[in-house]
Amino acid sequence: MATVTLTDITKIYDGGVKAVDKANIIINDREFVVFVGPSGCGKSTTLRMIAGLEDITEGELRIDDKLVNDVPPKDRDIAMVFQNYALYPHMTVYDNMAFGLKIRKFPKDEIDQRVREAAKILDIEELLERKPKALSGGQRQRVAVGRAIVRKPKVFLFDEPLSNLDAKLRVQMRAEISGLHNRLKATMIYVTHDQVEALTMADKIVVMKLGLIQQIGGPLELYNEP
Ligand code: ADP
Ligand code: ADP
């Protein structure tokens, strides 16, 4: 179970930019919610606040019934996949995937089992001993997703995960991430500026503009309007 609730969430950066203005959203357990909108509208900032990577200026963030505004990122039951993959270049694929579990003091055999299971799901078992620089863009993104999967979080966050991939791979990875959502039965929150991605992947779409939520609805509701 993981419901994520934003109540009047506001972010004002040092210097005064109001990036998010009183956002109210309920993301239900196991829902796939996509945030869309033009560059600079506040999508990333919203996601980063949910991850705990950015302080919340005002408002309340809850995971299930727990207020988490002041809970550090590593203590939130959340894993995030970044646009630039954010892999450690000096570590192998295996170690990149294992790292988040190591710092949380998981036993070695549990780590090994989880890494191999995730590698199997993502079809990267052959790549475990490679370093990131010896991988293609699509393979790197799979590793980044793998690093999130091994944690078995209740909530996955994706920040424009496919925007560095070519068009063909993007279509393929969309389907793979949707497949993962069905398989893992987790809550997924996904940020993109690509309306097609939103349309094809989302249960619910949140449209943002200039820090404000303009609309929330299902793909059909939002895009079949006359
Ligand atoms: P999006 O993800 O939709 O492109 P962002 O959340 O990155 O939008 O940015 C929203 C607004 O906040 C923009 O005006 C951006 O310039 C500003 N912003 C983002 N990060 C920072 C920061 N660290 N410091 C100051 N302003 C920021
Ligand atoms: P995105 O569009 O995916 O948010 P950006 O290239 O806008 O990516 O931002 C990259 C990083 O720079 C993010 O960590 C964001 O918070 C930060 N950033 C964005 N805009 C500003 C800004 N105006 N001032 C300082 N940092 C910013």
Side-chain angles (χ1 to χ4, degrees), residues 190-211:
Y190 189 105
V191 161
T192 181
H193 59 267
D194 183 340
Q195 292 199 359
V196 178
E197 249 168 61
L199 204 59
T200 52
M201 299 176 84
D203 297 320
K204 186 156 92 188
I205 298 174
V206 178
V207 184
M208 292 188 73
K209 192 176 178 185
L210 295 170

Side-chain angles (χ1 to χ4, degrees), residues 13-14 17 38-45 48 54 83 159-160 163 191 193:
Y13 281 108
D14 296 342
V17 176
S39 184
C41 71
K43 308 181 295 292
S44 256
T45 300
R48 292 164 60 84
E54 205 73 72
Q83 174 178 1
D159 193 359
E160 306 241 5
S163 53
V191 161
H193 59 267

